[in-house]
Amino acid sequence: MVDMTTESTAYAADIEAVEQVVATVEHSQQHKDPDEFLALFHPDAVWTTAHGKVLIGLDAIAEFTRKVLPAANWDGKVSYEVAHVLFIRPDVAAVKVRQRYLSPDAESEGAPLYVMTKQDDGRWLLTACQNTGVVAD
């Protein structure tokens, strides 16, 4: 395993690509765009929502996303920031993300873990993801 706490130039392009996936997640959430979000997933992906709902396969993820994302009710901004990347293999990365919902009245935070896989064409896709809410102390 390669721990990216010490930057490796061998992985620089892959880190940039992983960061772009997370930036696209942010953009799709800010714009409530299910198609942009769903394009980031491997067809056999597994997604667990912050409330523990397990979605297996792109069809299940799409059905859920198309129902909840356009109807999402938040006033403010959502941000996603890559906090840590661990390359388990050159084509598999565990990506810890800091997710924040900011509104004039409140702020909430999530700590998703995205396992991404690099495809033969070089794209990184979301493959196994756990979206975990952070409980304020």
Side-chain angles (χ1 to χ4, degrees):
M1 289 192 263
V2 177
D3 185 342
M4 294 316 301
T5 53
T6 56
E7 187 85 14
S8 169
T9 56
Y11 285 97
D14 289 317
I15 291 169
E16 186 176 317
V18 162
E19 289 174 339
Q20 183 56 53
V21 170
V22 174
T24 304
V25 170
E26 175 181 284
H27 186 269
S28 69
Q29 298 298 302
Q30 286 178 351
H31 294 89
K32 301 179 185 178
D33 184 341
D35 293 326
E36 182 180 42
F37 181 66
L38 294 168
L40 301 171
F41 283 90
H42 187 280
D44 298 322
V46 176
W47 181 269
T48 303
T49 71
H51 300 291
K53 184 172 183 69
V54 178
L55 306 167
I56 299 174
L58 185 55
D59 289 343
I61 296 166
E63 180 181 354
F64 177 82
T65 300
R66 290 185 194 291
K67 184 175 12 171
V68 301
L69 185 56
N73 187 9
W74 69 75
D75 295 325
K77 182 181 177 190
V78 60
S79 71
Y80 289 73
E81 173 188 347
V82 173
H84 186 78
V85 177
L86 173 68
F87 287 94
I88 298 165
R89 299 187 334 205
D91 62 340
V92 178
V95 182
K96 197 63 186 163
V97 175
R98 182 174 187 216
Q99 171 191 57
R100 296 173 60 212
Y101 290 95
L102 309 167
S103 73
D105 301 327
E107 179 178 330
S108 63
E109 188 169 336
L113 175 64
Y114 299 159
V115 177
M116 295 186 198
T117 54
K118 187 175 185 178
Q119 307 308 293
D120 291 340
D121 64 3
R123 291 180 307 136
W124 283 89
L125 295 179
L126 300 169
T127 304
C129 305
Q130 171 77 42
N131 196 2
T132 304
V134 174
V135 178
D137 294 330

